[in-house]
Structures are given as C-alpha cells and as structure tokens.
Amino acid sequence: MTDFDTREMWKPSKEAVEKAHLSRFIKEIGIRHPEVKDYRSLYQWSIDHPREFWPAVWRYCRILAHRPWDEVADNVEKMPGTRWFAGAQLNFAENLLAKGAPERPALIFWTEQGRVSEMSYAQLRRQTQRLAQAFRRAGVAEGDRVAAYLPNRPETVVAMLAAASIGALFSSCSPDFGVEGVLDRFGQIQPKLLLAAGGYRWDGKSLDCLEKTARIMEAIPDIEKAVIMPAVGGLPQTGEVRDSVLWEEFLESGRGGREHFVPLPFDHPLYIMYSSGTTGKPKCMVHGAGGTLLQHLKEHILHGDLKADDRIFYYTTCGWMMWNWLVSALGTGATVLLYDGAPLPKGNSSVLFDLAQQEGMTVFGTSAKYLALAEKQGLKPAESHDLKSLSSMLSTGSVLPPESFDYVYRDIKSDLRLSSITGGTDLISCFALGNPIQSVYRGELQSLGLGMRVEVWDGEGNPLPPESQGELVCTQAFPSMPVAFWNDPDGSRYQEAYFEHFPGAWRHGDWVERTRRNGLVVYGRSDATLNPGGVRIGTAEIYRQVEQFEEVLESVVVGQRWEGDVRVVLFLRMRDGSQLDEDLCRRIRQRLRSQASPHHVPRKILAVPDIPRTVSGKISELAVRKAVHGQEVKNTGALANPEALQHFRDRPELGQD
C-alpha cells in the first residue's frame, strides 16, 4: 500500500467529460454491449474481448486501409507470436497525413532562440512526396533501412514519413550520440542511406557533427549515400563525409514525382528502435506499421482526448521513443510542436513555457526529471506566463513523485490534467497513462491502457491483489509488440528479453502497485530494486524523499553487496554552492526513517560531481551498481557521459563499515 498522501488533485468538468472522445467511445460500445457503462467496465471489456475491441478502435480512429483484414488475431493468448489483422493493407504515412486540413499548421519548430518555422499539412505532404521520390531515385526500396542522425526538426519528420510511404524502415539517433553509440545501433541494421546534421545547438553552444558523420560513414560501408542537413543558421557544407550530398540538393532530385503511398501488410516493419544498451550491444526492436499506428491513435485520441484544434508538444530527442509517439499525433489532424535544444538553457530556462504561451500549447509533454529541475530552479510559470490554453501535462521517462504533482498544481497551473504515463521503447507505447474522464490522484498514474491486460505478480508468477507491490506483467498479446528483433532468426533473443522469466507473460521490468481505483503507482525498475535484509524497496521511494532537499540537485541509489547482505548506498549530486556535510546526512537519514522506513535509510551517503545517464537522459542505476562492485560496464557508448563512472569506482568509503 502506498505510504504517501494520494488525495484528489484534479477533476474533469461535467462538460469536458461529455465532450471527451472516451465518453463517446463508451456510448458507441455500450449500444451493443450494455455492460459497458464507464471506464472500468470498458477496460474490462477491452481485455476480455480483444477481437472486438481493437477493430472498434480502428473504426473510431478512422484508420485508412487499402484492403480490409481477413482475421483480427489468430491467437491472443500466444505470447509471442500472435498475428494481428492478417490480410489488411495500409500505409502509416498516409494515415498520418490524411486528417489534417491542408492550411492548418502541421509542424511548428522552435529552438533555444525561439520560433524558427511553420509547415502546413499541405506543405508537409508536398515535402514528403518529394523526398520519397528522391529516396526512390537513390535506390531506396521497400524493406531498405533509412537511418537518421538528426535533431528534432521538421525535416526529420519529413524523412520518416517519406521512408514509411515507400515501405522503407526508419531508424533514428539524436546528434548527441557519440560515434560508438551510433555504430552500435546503425552498424547492426546496415542502412542504405544516412541522413545527418551538419551541426546543432545545445545550451547556447554550436556543435559540429560532420567529423562524427565522416567516421560513421567510413565504419559502415553498406551506407551508399549521406544526406547532410545544415545546422539552423549554419552554412551548408559536407566536410570530409564520403558520398555526401546536401539536403536541398537531394530534395531537389525528387521533383516531378507523384504522391504514392505503398499499400503494405499490417505487420510490415516501420521502425527499428533500440534498447539502452548498457549491458551489451543494444537490442534492435522492429516495430510494425499497423500496430504502432493503432496503439498510438488509441493513446492520443481515447486516452489523450486529442482533437484537430489541439497543439501537442513533447520534450524529446530523436533518440527516444517519445519522438515516434509525438509525431503520430499528426494522425489526429492536430499541430505538433517541435523543439530542439536544452530543456533549461542557461539564460533562458523558461523557454519551453515561452513556447507554450506563444503557440497556444494545449498538451505539454515532458519528463519527471525536467519538472524536478524546474522546481529546483524556482520556475513558477503560473506567475510568469499565460497558460490559459494548456489543458494537460504528460510526464514519463522515470517515476513522477507525488511532490512533483504538488509543484505542477501549485506553480504551473491548478486546472489541468496531469498524466504520468509509463510504457517503453519495447512496446513503443504505454501500459498505463492518462484518462480525460477521471480524476487525477497525487502520485498515481490514472488508468491502465485499454486493451492491455496488465497484472502485478510476485517473484514466483502469482497474481497479487490491489495495493500489493510486485512485477508489472502483461498476460495477453497486444498489436504494438515488436514484430521481431533484428538479426534474431529463431526469435530466441526476443523470447529471452520478455518471456524467459515468466513463460507466456511479458515481464516489463517495472516494480509497481495497482491501486483500488485501477490506477498504477511505479516504484522503479525491478532489476534496480534494493533488498537490504530481505526487504524489497523501490528506488523511487528513496528519490522521492531525498530530492526534496534544497541542497540536492539529483541522486542515484544502489544496493552494495556487503557482509552477506545488501546495504543501501546513496550518491548525491549537489547544487552549486552546496556541500554534503554531516548535518545534511543526518537530516536525510532522519527523513527516510520517518517518511519511509528504517530499511530505506542508506548506510553510506557520498557526493559525486556527476551521475551517468543514458543518451535518452535516464539515470543508469545498473551502470552505477556495476561500477561500485568493480565490474566492467559494457558498451559505455550507450551512456551520454561515461566519464562519470569514474566517480563510483574504487571509492575507499565503499570498503569501510
């Protein structure tokens, strides 16, 4: 049972509930299934009748198909191996471009300096058509891979749509990836074409990418051509990159082609996504076009209540799955707001709220870490910005602690739906997320995702009742499961990744609690949970208390093997001007003992100048744990700052009582 206050923080108005897509969907389903009257009964129906539920989502979201399906699913109890919507043919790009009014803005692009450009749906279609033709003339065909080493810019969206329109697979890394990290990913999939940035800006600095791109091209001989996109405001140049051409010149080569969206099977590969890769080379997850489309539109329309007049933003790079999720919002006809740069740049830390105010943002997506740092920096947008258009805020990437709910409603906006969501790259979607017709409760994810049979199990695979902590598992197939892993002909790596621990059930690796309201509380990764004295503790329970201290910028906690048991070791990154002293250590231990339990109290509290994180921005607890135990951290290219590991190795304090 949760050990914090879970009071109601927000409740939708009666008018909002009546107008919500979800209410309309419940009414439509209720005509044929009178037992469906509210969200709880709809959720139960969705997991009990998946062969009826997923076609209902297809129809409600108005998915375009060139050919209807012959069968919804062959065996939904088979995990993995279920085949969805056999016989259906569609095109992912066509569906994303079909709903937007031609004159309506499709993409609005900002950097740290402010607004850069706007592109209408009509312009986006023309750019997609031209680039698709350029791809064809460059020899890119159905099944080929197009790799993007690009910032979060409109051209990146165009590239994805162009690849999808002809049946090529799209895969992306953000330009802050090092060469080794890119090679660990793109080197496995043998792309035919590389799209790369000449440079990008981060935290007020201009960073060149041409030298890294040249090394990537030399290391992957399968790439036949590199298309170089100039940095915003930068001079167009290709440097020493072999077989390279500038973006505008390449785009010009596509003039004269007609718009054509290739009809493809429902499970035709669309994206190649990557695991974090901190324990070895990243897994290459292949996601299908139909499953991604169906799941994303379900989440945007039913769970997010997104409509054509909405303006949706998510702070993300092209190296995180939230970029793929964000651009699918085009399939609702809404306007997608893109931002490239640091989230809290020096001298302009409120830039994302400037964007929200000036562009009339309705949906603000971010991470728990951003909200924590914004609070630490003293940002109070409720006082400094006009956010009247903002109706919802989304958070993912790590656990959103209850105190961040307080911050949002106190200092950002008191009347909005704050939806903490959780899922992952593995399913390119969510297991639990927002709900426009239900209240928001402090520290809770509002509801389990429709069609996702989520359960909480103990270590032996026994289902647990509500208000019990355990492993998040999914016990029924869903359409956005990966269609395969790349270079995994017998499916053994796929099987091992999700189904080895609990055969026949997807083990996601999150330590969670299901609430009596059918929501979810996440306590952290199950492989990073602590086990002092045999008591299992979620790391988020410690972070929630520690990061409330003004002196602490961020923290990481691990379990260290010690004298036949495990002891809790807490590392703190201090704010500028603050020091870790005995008084702060005492106050931290006192707070954890009183607010959590004696088991949560760390035996060691140590300061570090930096904490290792993955290239997608997540703190890597596993890498820290390995460093503490003197073990090799494989594939440090998966880390944005691998040099930080040195602060955790060979610490004399870790060899003492």
Side-chain angles (χ1 to χ4, degrees), residues 181-468:
V182 175
L183 295 180
D184 282 345
R185 290 159 173 77
F186 294 165
Q188 295 188 65
I189 67 171
Q190 301 167 301
K192 179 169 281 189
L193 206 65
L194 176 68
L195 310 174
Y200 67 103
R201 287 183 64 83
W202 179 266
D203 208 9
K205 300 175 183 176
S206 294
L207 302 169
D208 182 81
C209 291
L210 289 175
E211 189 270 336
K212 292 194 294 183
T213 301
R215 290 168 59 193
I216 292 164
M217 288 293 289
E218 291 305 319
I220 308 178
D222 300 274
I223 303 176
E224 297 178 1
K225 188 183 291 292
V227 182
I228 308 298
M229 182 191 306
V232 173
L235 295 174
Q237 53 183 314
T238 59
E240 300 298 318
V241 181
R242 71 164 175 88
D243 300 314
S244 57
V245 60
L246 287 170
W247 172 269
E248 287 299 332
E249 182 182 342
F250 185 73
L251 194 62
E252 192 66 20
S253 71
R255 278 194 179 275
R258 63 181 180 84
E259 185 175 76
H260 178 59
F261 298 103
V262 178
L264 298 162
F266 182 85
D267 57 0
H268 183 81
L270 169 72
Y271 291 132
I272 300 179
M273 312 290 290
Y274 306 97
S275 65
S276 61
T278 52
T279 57
K281 278 200 173 182
K283 299 186 290 287
C284 304
M285 296 166 266
V286 183
H287 283 289
T292 301
L293 179 69
L294 187 62
Q295 187 77 289
H296 283 186
L297 291 185
K298 179 204 78 176
E299 294 183 348
H300 281 307
I301 294 173
L302 297 181
H303 287 278
D305 203 34
L306 208 60
K307 300 178 174 70
D309 57 355
D310 277 307
R311 294 189 163 201
I312 180 171
F313 166 78
Y314 219 102
Y315 178 76
T316 180
T317 71
C318 300
W320 189 22
M321 64 143 286
M322 294 310 298
W323 181 85
N324 307 76
W325 187 88
L326 170 65
V327 297
S328 288
L330 293 168
T332 69
T335 298
V336 171
L337 304 175
L338 304 175
Y339 173 82
D340 187 59
L344 294 159
K346 295 182 181 69
N348 191 20
S349 59
S350 64
V351 63
L352 298 188
F353 292 105
D354 296 343
L355 191 164
Q357 175 180 295
Q358 293 181 38
E359 301 296 351
M361 184 190 297
T362 58
V363 182
F364 190 129
T366 186
S367 65
K369 180 55 62 179
Y370 171 82
L371 291 173
L373 291 176
E375 183 177 13
K376 294 274 186 184
Q377 290 203 12
L379 295 188
K380 297 184 178 182
E383 299 176 6
S384 59
H385 289 72
D386 180 359
L387 301 178
K388 61 178 177 294
S389 63
L390 192 63
S391 60
S392 63
M393 179 168 268
L394 313 177
S395 172
T396 192
S398 59
V399 179
L400 185 66
E403 292 73 21
S404 288
F405 282 71
D406 299 337
Y407 168 63
V408 168
Y409 285 107
R410 180 185 67 241
D411 292 330
I412 296 180
K413 191 176 183 182
S414 60
D415 182 22
L416 56 69
R417 183 175 74 255
L418 174 58
S419 299
S420 180
I421 63 179
T422 190
T425 304
D426 312 76
L427 57 151
I428 205 169
S429 56
C430 301
F431 280 126
L433 61 171
N435 188 321
I437 64 173
Q438 291 187 173
S439 296
V440 172
Y441 292 90
R442 186 173 180 267
E444 289 188 20
L445 285 71
Q446 280 184 286
S447 61
L448 300 177
L450 292 169
M452 311 295 276
R453 189 180 282 274
V454 172
E455 298 181 15
V456 180
W457 287 8
D458 66 16
E460 283 68 53
N462 302 306
L464 295 171
E467 300 186 335
S468 303

Side-chain angles (χ1 to χ4, degrees), residues 630-653:
Q631 299 171 346
E632 178 190 3
V633 178
K634 298 180 180 178
N635 193 27
T636 54
L639 298 174
N641 55 340
E643 67 281 356
L645 289 170
Q646 64 183 319
H647 308 307
F648 302 86
R649 298 186 191 278
D650 303 321
R651 295 285 296 258
E653 303 96 328

Side-chain angles (χ1 to χ4, degrees), residues 542-595:
I542 293 178
Y543 298 143
R544 191 168 71 236
Q545 303 299 334
V546 171
E547 295 189 8
Q548 291 182 60
F549 286 88
E550 191 68 23
E551 301 94 328
V552 177
L553 188 62
E554 59 183 358
S555 61
V556 61
V557 64
V558 298
Q560 182 194 14
R561 294 190 297 273
W562 189 257
E563 297 180 349
D565 195 2
V566 172
R567 68 178 182 181
V568 177
V569 180
L570 174 65
F571 296 95
L572 304 179
R573 181 182 170 206
M574 309 301 294
R575 294 188 70 176
D576 290 344
S578 296
Q579 299 290 328
L580 178 62
D581 56 23
E582 283 301 319
D583 178 64
L584 179 59
C585 290
R586 178 189 58 78
R587 288 186 285 126
I588 288 173
R589 289 189 169 104
Q590 186 178 55
R591 182 178 185 89
L592 284 166
R593 184 175 285 106
S594 62
Q595 298 299 319

